[in-house]
Amino acid sequence: MSYTTQAPVTKKQVYQRPYKTRSQRREAARRKHDENGDVKFLVRVAVGVGLLLLVAVAFAIKGMAE
């Protein structure tokens, strides 16, 4: 009697991207856009405050020089 042995074939798991519905993708894009908008707003406010301080310091120096 002869026994034939076969090596067990292992099923390799393939990476599957988690499925997202259209509404989930839209919500993620909306959140990302909102966060970027907040950062842009804060940068603009910081630049504005910096310019105001620069003008105030310039007037103070000009007033002290006279």
Side-chain angles (χ1 to χ4, degrees):
M1 278 197 212
S2 68
Y3 291 102
T4 57
T5 58
Q6 291 182 338
V9 178
T10 59
K11 282 194 168 186
K12 193 172 187 181
Q13 291 276 336
V14 177
Y15 174 74
Q16 291 184 346
R17 191 171 60 171
Y19 178 75
K20 290 186 178 181
T21 63
R22 182 177 216 163
S23 61
Q24 289 172 329
R25 288 195 307 267
R26 285 183 177 174
E27 182 63 32
R30 192 175 298 123
R31 254 181 295 152
K32 184 178 178 184
H33 179 71
D34 288 345
E35 291 170 1
N36 289 342
D38 291 344
V39 170
K40 287 180 183 178
F41 173 74
L42 291 175
V43 168
R44 287 180 185 167
V45 168
V47 168
V49 169
L51 287 175
L52 285 174
L53 286 174
L54 187 65
V55 170
V57 169
F59 277 120
I61 291 173
K62 185 178 178 183
M64 292 174 76
E66 293 178 355

